[in-house]
Amino acid sequence: MNEYFVIDGAMSSALEELNCPSLNNKLWTAAVLAESPELIKQVHLNYFEAGADCGITASYQASIKGLMEAGYTEEEAEHFITISVDLFKEARDEWWKNADHEKRSYPLCLGSVGPYGAYLADGSEYRGHYKVSDEELYDFHKRRIELLHEAGADVILFETDPSLREALVEAKIGEELGVDYWISFSCRDGHHTNEGQTMEECVKALADHPHLKAIGINCTDPRFVTDLIYDLVKVTDLPIFVYPNSGKVYDPVTKTWSNEDENISFGDYALAWYKAGAKGVGGCCTTTEEHIREVRKALDHYLEIKDIKHIQL
């Protein structure tokens, strides 16, 4: 992986563009792992073609508890989590055969672990304050992490964490298993997680975790991201990555997205985020291949500017 990189975009939005059946159910994209896995693979291929250097497995909503409540056996639930990595690796190797190896790097597989709030499917990932114990969070997350790692994910990605508490539980598991992981928080403004912790609080609490390899922001309004990056670069030397929403606003009650009046392109945002200190940029909810193409162009432009400044110095 290069020092600077492009992350892929939303799985759900990309599936919708492939005319995937309705995703408006509690399993969301996890249902596609069971019903149409070939579409998951195609999404990964499309994002590689668009410029992604690393991608996120379709396991965000694929918790064992959630799959079993939907009627699958424990064995089937574990199988679906495992094949989320298999599908990524198949797509990666297929794409890599014809890729320009001088211009592109071998894509990194990020094994997605969504928050407990995603399992609840009631918008709790935008609030935090779960009414469960740390022990329950630990038990909820551990087996999925083991399965993703055993299947060959290069890094475990704890994403859309609304709270420091959940991140610390996940980090504890990562350290116990000795697996490298990234943590990405969802934030309510330019300085706080959805539950209310500052970036400084989060970084300090996670400081003594050697397997934490990067820290970031996702599933957040893009207007907040530059300030969040500034807050992070002040307090950590870890690589910072961001993959916010496209700019649309989510209503957790109706489970729908609405347009926000915004004149800044996603590519312009991406360039600003690289300049602010992010090493990796991608997209979360309602982003598609087109957004990732914009990020790729923004990174190429940023590296060109950076090289020119270096020569001038």
Side-chain angles (χ1 to χ4, degrees), residues 17-308:
E17 291 202 334
L18 294 176
N19 298 313
C20 183
S22 174
L23 298 168
N24 190 18
N25 60 75
K26 194 170 182 180
L27 285 181
W28 202 33
T29 55
V32 187
L33 288 169
E35 297 167 7
S36 304
E38 71 283 357
L39 294 181
I40 301 285
K41 179 180 175 181
Q42 188 61 53
V43 168
H44 290 310
L45 281 167
N46 292 346
Y47 276 131
F48 296 147
E49 291 290 343
D53 299 308
C54 57
I56 302 170
T57 60
S59 50
Y60 177 87
Q61 200 85 354
S63 68
I64 293 173
K65 189 173 182 179
L67 286 161
M68 291 181 67
E69 287 180 2
Y72 296 104
T73 66
E74 183 174 3
E75 183 179 6
E76 288 172 327
E78 292 192 351
H79 171 68
F80 296 140
I81 292 168
T82 296
I83 65 169
S84 72
V85 178
D86 294 341
L87 291 166
F88 180 98
K89 293 193 296 183
E90 288 173 15
R92 174 174 64 182
D93 290 344
E94 186 174 318
W95 174 80
W96 188 243
K97 288 178 183 177
N98 300 311
D100 186 338
H101 294 188
E102 292 185 4
K103 293 184 179 180
R104 297 288 299 277
S105 57
Y106 188 63
L108 194 71
C109 178
L110 306 177
S112 171
V113 176
Y116 186 80
Y119 151 72
L120 295 175
D122 63 356
S124 291
E125 65 268 47
Y126 298 98
R127 298 189 301 269
H129 299 291
Y130 304 144
K131 294 179 174 61
V132 295
S133 68
D134 287 359
E135 290 74 19
E136 288 174 286
L137 287 175
Y138 182 98
D139 292 341
F140 174 80
H141 284 302
K142 186 176 182 182
R143 184 57 182 151
R144 174 165 47 166
I145 297 167
E146 292 175 333
L147 290 165
L148 292 168
H149 175 62
E150 290 165 3
D154 299 307
V155 174
I156 300 299
L157 173 62
F158 300 125
E159 58 173 335
T160 324
D161 275 346
S163 71
L164 175 58
R165 180 168 79 99
E166 185 164 24
L168 286 170
V169 170
E170 293 167 334
K172 178 181 178 181
I173 299 170
E175 296 299 330
E176 289 175 354
L177 297 177
V179 301
D180 289 344
Y181 58 93
W182 298 0
I183 292 178
S184 185
F185 292 98
S186 56
C187 296
R188 69 188 188 192
D189 56 32
H191 304 287
H192 301 88
T193 67
N194 282 333
E195 196 174 86
Q197 296 86 25
T198 65
M199 294 299 98
E200 182 176 3
E201 288 178 77
C202 294
V203 168
K204 285 183 177 179
L206 291 163
D208 296 323
H209 292 76
H211 287 278
L212 174 60
K213 300 302 181 182
I215 192 164
I217 305 296
N218 80 292
C219 211
T220 295
D221 190 318
R223 294 173 299 177
F224 301 148
V225 172
T226 300
D227 285 340
L228 288 160
I229 295 171
Y230 286 148
D231 283 357
L232 284 169
V233 296
K234 291 176 185 176
V235 293
T236 184
D237 293 326
L238 287 171
I240 295 165
F241 62 97
V242 297
Y243 54 111
N245 299 334
S246 69
K248 292 184 178 181
V249 178
Y250 183 65
D251 183 336
V253 176
T254 63
K255 294 182 170 58
T256 57
W257 294 87
S258 60
N259 287 314
E260 186 77 7
D261 184 20
E262 186 58 77
N263 296 318
I264 304 174
S265 73
F266 203 75
D268 289 339
Y269 270 131
L271 181 59
W273 298 330
Y274 282 120
K275 288 180 177 179
K279 300 298 185 182
V281 174
C284 199
C285 294
T286 67
T287 60
T288 63
E289 298 150 49
E290 186 54 41
H291 293 88
I292 302 310
R293 290 190 188 95
E294 290 186 43
V295 176
R296 182 85 253 172
K297 290 178 182 177
L299 177 55
D300 291 343
H301 180 57
Y302 173 71
L303 293 176
E304 182 180 338
I305 295 171
K306 193 168 177 286
D307 286 343
I308 290 172

